[in-house]
Amino acid sequence: MVKQLFRFCIPGTLALGGLTAGLIGSSVMLESITPPKARAQATPALLEFRWENSKDYKKLYYWQSSTIRRDRATYYLMLKPKDRKTAILKLSISVPDYFDAKIKTNKLNLCLVHLGGMLSRTRCKEEVPAIFEVSEDQTSIEVFPDTPIPTEGTYAVVMKIFNPDQRGMFQFNALAQAPGDVPMGGYLGSWLIDIN
């Protein structure tokens, strides 16, 4: 009787084991087929569409650690060597009035940066001493480096903030004042920041 029961149970167990292995294999295969959940990209899009695009607009590169609303984020507002023709004595950044994040001077730095890529992250190589002033209405940031920013190397204004409450695109404009007898400010370009 035990032999009959054992002989009867083994084929059922093998069939049940085969069925279980088949289900596990198909679920693993389905996981590999389904795409992973989308995560926010921390770099600007490769393709950018603008209404009324003109020759007066110049896109500047930036890196942002988070694009999620109300999330803690670090912004690197970059100035590459190709973005400037002269040294910079003073840098003015205009911020849209609807960018409702609190910008604090003690959370701003000026750095010589290492640009990240596939194998490395964007980071500060050397901090540049500078004085920062933020207007009361939070619509402008003035940067006064101790020594003029040279034309070689990539520099960035590093800003640590909480992202704004609302989604949208925010255009930050950069104006630079060159050293000389008659210091004049000129448009360098714009960072178009996206919040999801």
Side-chain angles (χ1 to χ4, degrees), residues 112-133:
L112 175 64
V113 295
H114 164 76
L115 280 176
M118 295 294 284
L119 302 174
S120 63
R121 296 181 65 173
T122 298
R123 59 182 168 75
C124 278
K125 287 197 300 191
E126 178 186 334
E127 192 169 327
V128 177
I131 296 171
F132 292 89
E133 292 179 3

Side-chain angles (χ1 to χ4, degrees), residues 19-33:
L19 179 62
T20 304
L23 287 174
I24 290 172
S26 64
S27 69
V28 168
M29 194 166 161
L30 280 176
E31 283 180 16
S32 66
I33 292 173

Side-chain angles (χ1 to χ4, degrees), residues 3 7 28 30 39 53 57-58 61 69 81 109 111 114 116 137 149 152 161 164-165 179 182:
K3 282 186 176 181
R7 190 174 37 151
V28 168
L30 280 176
R39 294 182 55 110
N53 200 4
Y57 171 79
K58 182 180 176 190
Y61 181 78
R69 294 181 303 148
N109 290 343
C111 290
H114 164 76
D137 60 356
I149 299 171
E152 9 354 275
I161 60 170
D165 288 334
V182 183

Side-chain angles (χ1 to χ4, degrees), residues 40 64 66-73 162-164 194-196:
Q64 147 186 33
S66 173
T67 60
I68 299 168
R69 294 181 303 148
R70 296 183 296 276
D71 197 16
R72 185 185 307 255
F162 284 94
N163 283 333
D194 191 19
I195 301 295
N196 297 325

